Amino acid sequence: MDAALIFSIAVILVLLLLSAFFSGSETALTAASRARMYQLERKGNQRAQLVRRLSVQKERLIGAILLGNNLVNILASTLATSLLIGLFGSTGVVYATVAMTLLIVIFGELLPKTYAIRHADRAALAVAPAIRPIVRLLAPLTHVLQLTIGWTLKLVGLDPSARGSIVSSTEEIRGTVELHRRAGGLRRHQGDMIDGILDLSDVAISEVMVHRRNMFMIDADDPAAAIFEKALKSPYTRVPLWRGQPENIVGILHAKDLLRALAARQGDAQGVDVTALATEPWFIPETTTLREQLDSFRRRHAHFALVVDEYGTLMGIVTLEDIIEEIVGDISDEHDIAATEVRVEPDGSRVANGEVTIRDLNRQFDWELPEEEATTIAGLILHEAEVIPEVGQRFDIAGFRCEVLRRQHNRITAVRITPPAAAKDIVSQ
């Protein structure tokens, strides 16, 4: 074997290595995690900074890589064809075509791309220092190619500057969370917590507040001893005081202030001006979002607010705990009153309190009941029925069968909810 033949084979092998390098680099740099690169860059990783800078001008990066890749592939194929024609004559073209196709597809494309997909971040950090000078060197050519592509698109009636709809960062995070959750890399409650944080700007206070019907309040005109007794027996730290009518809130009484007053009088509650111990009530509109209210709680160093509608009518109360529960789930302590709002039945259905929120049902059971029309399951049935339904009436809502079990006056107090899978089983039986 003469030196020229050996040299030609060596050049072809080097070109195949370069082809593998360009193919793997393209896959690695486009598939690398932007979030991970950002974190590494913050920690001072210079290569991560290179990856980020290369990714900013993605068209220029891909253009340079594809140009280099095609140049080495064409050159390798040309050398191989010339070499095999010299060895086998005109049939060498066939040998060269078959051989170079297999070599380029396997070793120049599939192998490096497969490795780059499986180790995108590691590969991107490794190739970034070598790719940067190549991108700079080929920048004039890639610029000409981009102009040519732009002119060609204009000739066929397309706008080269037009871009598709950009998915918001919030939706991108939701998609990432859902993918990891379905792949098993993220536990369900962890995904729910992230979703809860993302939902803070979209959920109004009215959806999480304690309705005025369920509020615990004390008449400020009651004797001081009676107020002390009611407040200390209640499971709540803060209690609204009303005067004249329940909607006229005159102050918020804190249990610690009561205890201090009792201690100062050595346990004698007679003569204590309870309203003087109460703090001024804080009223907020029901349209306030959870994020806005959370920021307000932090600014005011407060944990408790009264919710009113557009007419100033008292609608309910909201606490810092209510907002936190939208993120982490239900929080209970030794003083909370235990209440079973949802009960799972043997047939797969759930019996729920009418005041259970649709958001809680969807999060707890991974359902997809519509949340736009109403806040509670009772409200959703009323929206569907458009009248006050009778006990025993059933409604099909988004594939779920909802049956009214109990009603108190005009209020639905208990509902049986049968999810789609369980409903099919019942019908088949």
Side-chain angles (χ1 to χ4, degrees), residues 110-407:
L110 292 179
L111 187 62
K113 285 181 181 293
T114 301
Y115 176 84
I117 289 174
R118 294 179 179 178
H119 307 89
D121 293 345
R122 185 190 305 173
L125 293 172
V127 303
I131 286 293
R132 183 176 65 167
I134 295 175
V135 172
R136 288 182 175 178
L137 178 65
L138 297 178
L141 287 175
T142 55
H143 180 67
V144 172
L145 290 175
Q146 288 176 358
L147 291 177
T148 304
I149 292 171
W151 292 333
T152 304
L153 290 175
K154 287 182 178 179
L155 286 175
V156 297
L158 299 176
D159 184 4
S161 62
R163 296 181 181 273
S165 59
I166 301 175
V167 179
S168 68
S169 57
T170 298
E171 293 304 317
E172 185 175 351
I173 294 173
R174 289 185 194 276
T176 303
V177 169
E178 186 61 25
L179 282 174
H180 282 284
R181 182 159 47 189
R182 292 186 180 277
L186 195 67
R187 293 182 179 178
R188 178 178 169 182
H189 77 274
Q190 293 173 330
D192 289 342
M193 288 173 63
I194 297 174
D195 286 338
I197 294 172
L198 298 176
D199 287 338
L200 290 179
S201 297
D202 301 323
V203 180
I205 286 295
S206 59
E207 297 184 46
V208 304
M209 69 180 184
V210 176
H211 194 271
R212 62 186 178 190
R213 182 179 55 254
N214 300 321
M215 287 173 55
F216 178 80
M217 300 183 290
I218 298 177
D219 187 350
D221 292 328
D222 285 348
I227 293 177
F228 272 70
E229 183 179 359
K230 291 177 182 178
L232 296 178
K233 283 184 177 180
S234 76
Y236 308 109
T237 305
R238 298 169 179 83
V239 179
L241 294 176
W242 59 274
R243 175 170 284 140
Q245 55 181 355
E247 291 188 354
N248 181 33
I249 306 298
V250 296
I252 306 299
L253 193 60
H254 199 293
K256 285 187 177 181
D257 295 327
L258 287 177
L259 293 175
R260 291 191 188 100
L262 279 176
R265 290 177 168 267
Q266 298 181 346
D268 184 13
Q270 296 297 329
V272 176
D273 186 359
V274 177
T275 55
L277 299 176
T279 58
E280 184 179 353
W282 175 23
F283 297 95
I284 61 170
E286 62 178 345
T287 55
T288 305
T289 65
L290 297 190
R291 181 178 296 278
E292 293 169 343
Q293 188 56 37
L294 181 60
D295 292 338
S296 298
F297 277 145
R298 295 176 61 187
R299 286 195 305 268
R300 293 178 62 118
H301 303 286
H303 293 187
F304 186 99
L306 296 158
V307 184
V308 296
D309 65 8
E310 59 183 316
Y311 302 105
T313 303
L314 179 67
M315 300 302 295
I317 59 173
V318 65
T319 66
L320 179 60
E321 182 177 319
D322 293 327
I323 298 178
I324 294 176
E325 285 183 336
E326 283 299 302
I327 301 174
V328 303
D330 186 51
I331 301 173
S332 299
D333 59 31
E334 65 275 15
H335 296 293
D336 284 345
I337 300 173
T340 304
E341 295 187 326
V342 183
R343 185 177 72 252
V344 180
E345 297 294 296
D347 62 358
S349 64
R350 275 71 167 175
V351 175
N353 187 309
E355 296 179 354
V356 173
T357 65
I358 302 170
R359 282 173 52 79
D360 288 343
L361 288 171
N362 286 340
R363 290 180 64 172
Q364 183 175 354
F365 301 111
D366 199 21
W367 289 349
E368 294 184 358
L369 284 166
E371 301 180 21
E372 296 79 14
E373 290 82 5
T375 301
T376 65
I377 186 63
L380 183 61
I381 292 176
L382 289 173
H383 178 273
E384 182 72 16
E386 297 182 347
V387 294
I388 306 298
E390 300 294 334
V391 173
Q393 277 192 264
R394 296 178 180 180
F395 303 90
D396 289 328
I397 305 174
F400 292 79
R401 180 180 297 172
C402 300
E403 179 184 357
V404 179
L405 296 182
R406 289 194 304 273
R407 201 185 87 179

Side-chain angles (χ1 to χ4, degrees), residues 59-76:
E59 292 181 357
R60 179 180 173 185
L61 169 67
I62 294 176
I65 291 177
L66 289 178
L67 181 60
N69 196 19
N70 281 283
L71 285 174
V72 298
N73 285 341
I74 292 170
L75 182 56

